[in-house]
Structure formats: structure tokens, C-alpha cells
Amino acid sequence: MTSPSVIIIGAGPAGLASAGQLREKGISFIILEKGQGVAQCWRDHYDRLHLHTVKELSHLPGEDFSDDYDRYVHKTDLVRYYEEYATKRDIKPLFGKTVVDIEKTGEQWQVMCEDGSNYQAPAVIISAGMNRVPFRPHYQNEEDFTGEILHSHDYQNPAPYKGKRVLVVGMGNSGAEIALDLCEHGVETAISVRGPVNIVPREVLGNPTQVTALKIGKLPHWLGDALGLVVRKFTVGDLPKYGIELPAISPAKQLRETGQTPVIDLGTLDYIRSGELKVLPGIEEYTINSIVFSNGEEQRFDTVILATGFRASLNEWLHLDNEHFDQRQLPRKPIGSGPYEGLYFLGYNNYAPGGGLGIIRQDVFPIVEAIEERMAVGN
């Protein structure tokens, strides 16, 4: 039984940001990480992945990216940055620690791990990420399909799919970029898009969309949303004729009300417009070697890549009530209260503009300040 002042769950960017600030305050902590290195999730992502946000707005507290990093940092360089951040601050996570349960006993929170180890502290920062558990839907008769079905979590690069027909299911950021990756390497690819999708270019006339979104976000919502729709019209154009419906609401309003991030286009739309990437509707069912779509069309595919997203799945650790958690089972506030007092949630605010990494940097300060104040009262 180990009893630090704070237990941090997850050694990704949120966990490292938390540890860095706790170190500055002289507050003892341990980090429990299920992987074998910091930022394990980033290590596991597909090979071509870069940040969609600019490095100036994506760094951890107190550690800007140096000039040798690209504007949109590649995942390998990002992992190097996180490793250096941990080394400089003497942050040494406990690796191979898969959390299975969190419960409160008296004034202490107990964190139980799969290997039987048990840790307790008066404060726990949950920073395991929005993308902790791959979400894998199941379709009618998929057990009859003789091709390969995998989640985007298991996709690395186009090499295994040369000479095959591939269907990417879902047009979030991962689905759009994986489809682009396949098309750029000559793999015959289609993408299944079930509903409306908000899409924005990564840059407009050399200006990062992220920076523009932050500026628009300072305007009254009615004005910012109207401008967002105008910008979308002139940058994305008429997509319904290619099989992609656009939501009636702006990207900013969608993010604000649903927590759903718009797709950042890196070139996927060019392949859709050229006809090289065919857009198909949602899946109805599988056959032995083909897929039937909701419009009745049937096509043969060798491989299906389910870019169907991830879940935070905090319900695997905690009982979640409706007062403190929203319809997506995400915490309504980063600082827990009521039955969740002593719990802190960093990296789960998906409703604000600026990108997840920028929001982590914004939210970590009030979290650590609240922990510091709570410890002072307890003493």
C-alpha cells in the first residue's frame, strides 16, 4: 500500500502536465500508466500522424517546443518531447499499471490495479484520456465476412493493404486521415459516412484554422457561428453532391454543444472530389465477401477499418451520476464535487475551442491550485 498526496492515472500529456505542476508545488505524487512508456497512446497511433494543432498552442506548461520541431509536430517528435519533459522534471511513472477500480474509503481514494497492487491518496487526478478504449460497433452477419476487420487503433500504415480493396468506416479525423494515407499510396479505398460531417481545412491562406477558431470564439456566439458557416462554405464547398452531408450548425457550435470535434481536412476532400475516394453510406450488413449499404448498394471489400472512435469509459472505474457527468459520460467540471470530491479530471473538456492539448494546459492550473488549497485545509 503506497500513500502519496496525489495519484495520477495516465502518463500522457495530461498526466505529465499534472505531475510537472505538482513537482513545482512540492506535492508528492505517483503516476500509474498501463503502457511501457510516457505518452503510450501517441506511440501506438498510425505512422503518419502529426498534431492538427500548431506547436505554439500545443506545448505543456513551462516547456515550449523548440525551433527544430515542425509547426505540426509528428508523433515521433511529440513522444521525444514528452520524454524530455518527464526527464527534466524527474517524473518517473510506474509502468504496466492497468487501473481496474477507483473507490473512496473514508477520506482516501483507493486505486486498484490489475496486477493486484493497491494505492491510496486523498486526491486522484484522472488523466487517462478521451481515447482510452476503442469503440467497436458490430454489424449484422459480420461473423460471415471472410475479409479482415480491424479498428483504426490497429492501423499503422498502408503497406499491408497494397492490392486490396479497403473500406474505412467513419469520417472523423482518424478515418479521414487513414483514408488519405491509403489513397496517397495507391490503395483502392472507399469511406463509409453515416451522417452529416463538419469539415474545416487545417489552414486557410496559410493561417491555421485553430488560431482563427480561437479568435472567432471570442465573438458573441451568434456572430461567430454565422462567420463559421460562411468560412465553411467558401473553404469546403458543395459536398452533398459527393455524398457528404454538412450539418446545419457551424463547427464551433457543434463543438460547444456536443463536444464533437470537426474534421480537419489534410487533403482527403481532394481525393473525394476527384472520385479516387468513393463515399458510401452507412453499413446495413455483411455478406461472405462484401458489404451491403443502407442505400441497397453492395460492394466487395478485402479489409474493413473501423474508424469508429474511442471512449473514455470512466464508468469502468466509477459510478457516474447525471449531475456530475454528461450524456457522453464525461465530467461536467474538471474538479470533482459531492461524491467525487478529491477527484480531478484533466483532458476531458472536449467542448472548448483550441485543441485538447491547449485545454490541458489551461485546466491543469486550477486543478493543482484546488489540490493545494485542499491540502492546506486538511493540515
Side-chain angles (χ1 to χ4, degrees):
M1 182 83 70
T2 303
S3 301
S5 297
V6 183
I7 297 169
I8 302 171
I9 301 176
L16 294 175
S18 301
Q21 291 308 297
L22 291 172
R23 181 71 78 210
E24 283 194 11
K25 299 291 186 179
I27 300 173
S28 65
F29 63 87
I30 60 170
I31 303 183
L32 306 177
E33 166 57 48
K34 70 177 180 179
Q36 295 302 318
V38 300
Q40 186 64 56
C41 181
W42 286 98
R43 297 172 191 270
D44 294 341
H45 278 309
Y46 47 88
D47 293 347
R48 68 169 284 146
L49 183 65
H50 291 70
L51 287 181
H52 292 163
T53 54
V54 295
K55 67 179 182 180
E56 296 86 351
L57 299 175
S58 303
H59 61 86
L60 296 181
E63 194 72 33
D64 291 353
F65 286 101
S66 58
D67 292 341
D68 63 319
Y69 287 92
D70 292 337
R71 187 180 208 180
Y72 300 97
V73 183
H74 184 263
K75 72 159 192 171
T76 302
D77 293 326
L78 191 62
V79 169
R80 171 169 60 91
Y81 167 83
Y82 290 141
E83 289 175 334
E84 292 173 352
Y85 186 93
T87 299
K88 289 180 181 179
R89 289 159 179 78
D90 194 31
I91 299 170
K92 299 176 180 178
L94 301 179
F95 296 117
K97 296 292 182 180
T98 300
V99 172
V100 295
D101 195 23
I102 304 171
E103 62 182 39
K104 196 169 190 180
T105 305
E107 296 300 314
Q108 299 282 312
W109 284 97
Q110 293 197 43
V111 179
M112 282 72 78
C113 295
E114 192 176 62
D115 63 4
S117 56
N118 185 7
Y119 304 87
Q120 68 175 25
V124 176
I125 300 176
I126 300 176
S127 55
M130 297 279 294
N131 299 336
R132 188 174 71 88
V133 179
F135 174 68
R136 190 198 186 289
H138 293 276
Y139 299 91
Q140 185 176 345
N141 301 325
E142 71 171 65
E143 66 278 2
D144 297 332
F145 185 63
T146 55
E148 178 187 21
I149 304 175
L150 68 150
H151 192 273
S152 60
H153 175 73
D154 300 310
Y155 173 87
Q156 292 299 310
N157 56 64
Y161 310 103
K162 293 291 183 68
K164 296 182 179 182
R165 298 193 75 233
V166 178
L167 175 70
V168 177
V169 179
M171 196 172 175
N173 277 300
S174 292
E177 188 163 2
I178 288 171
L180 174 64
D181 199 21
L182 292 165
C183 288
E184 287 181 338
H185 290 84
V187 178
E188 189 175 353
T189 307
I191 189 166
S192 170
V193 184
R194 187 176 59 178
V197 182
N198 248 320
I199 305 174
V200 297
R202 187 170 67 178
E203 292 187 351
V204 178
L205 301 176
N207 298 309
T209 297
Q210 176 195 16
V211 175
T212 303
L214 287 171
K215 293 178 180 178
I216 290 177
K218 296 178 181 179
L219 300 172
H221 288 333
W222 67 268
L223 178 57
D225 292 340
L227 285 174
L229 289 173
V230 171
V231 171
R232 188 184 71 181
K233 178 180 178 180
F234 285 100
T235 59
V236 172
D238 183 14
L239 293 184
K241 67 181 180 182
Y242 299 105
I244 299 177
E245 295 296 325
L246 296 170
I249 61 175
S250 71
K253 187 174 183 179
Q254 175 182 285
L255 180 67
R256 190 170 66 244
E257 294 185 353
T258 71
Q260 185 177 350
T261 305
V263 175
I264 308 298
D265 180 46
L266 307 177
T268 307
L269 290 183
D270 290 338
Y271 280 92
I272 290 174
R273 294 186 186 105
S274 72
E276 294 176 75
L277 176 60
K278 184 174 182 180
V279 177
L280 295 166
I283 294 175
E284 189 69 26
E285 64 176 328
Y286 284 78
T287 70
I288 292 176
N289 59 7
S290 65
I291 294 174
V292 180
F293 296 90
S294 58
N295 63 355
E297 186 175 350
E298 182 175 346
Q299 289 200 26
R300 181 188 65 80
F301 290 96
D302 302 298
T303 300
V304 177
I305 300 174
L306 299 171
T308 46
F310 298 80
R311 299 290 185 270
S313 295
L314 296 177
N315 60 307
E316 293 182 359
W317 297 337
L318 297 164
H319 168 72
L320 308 181
D321 66 22
N322 293 328
E323 179 183 353
H324 298 87
F325 294 84
D326 65 17
Q327 69 277 6
R328 300 177 67 196
Q329 297 189 322
L330 297 176
R332 297 183 185 277
K333 296 180 179 179
I335 299 174
S337 60
Y340 309 99
E341 186 175 355
L343 295 182
Y344 305 85
F345 304 90
L346 184 59
Y348 298 95
N349 180 1
N350 209 42
Y351 295 86
L357 295 176
I359 295 168
I360 286 171
R361 192 174 59 255
Q362 167 188 297
D363 286 351
V364 70
F365 295 107
I367 285 177
V368 172
E369 182 179 344
I371 291 173
E372 192 175 27
E373 291 175 355
R374 192 164 185 261
M375 290 178 61
V377 170
N379 293 333

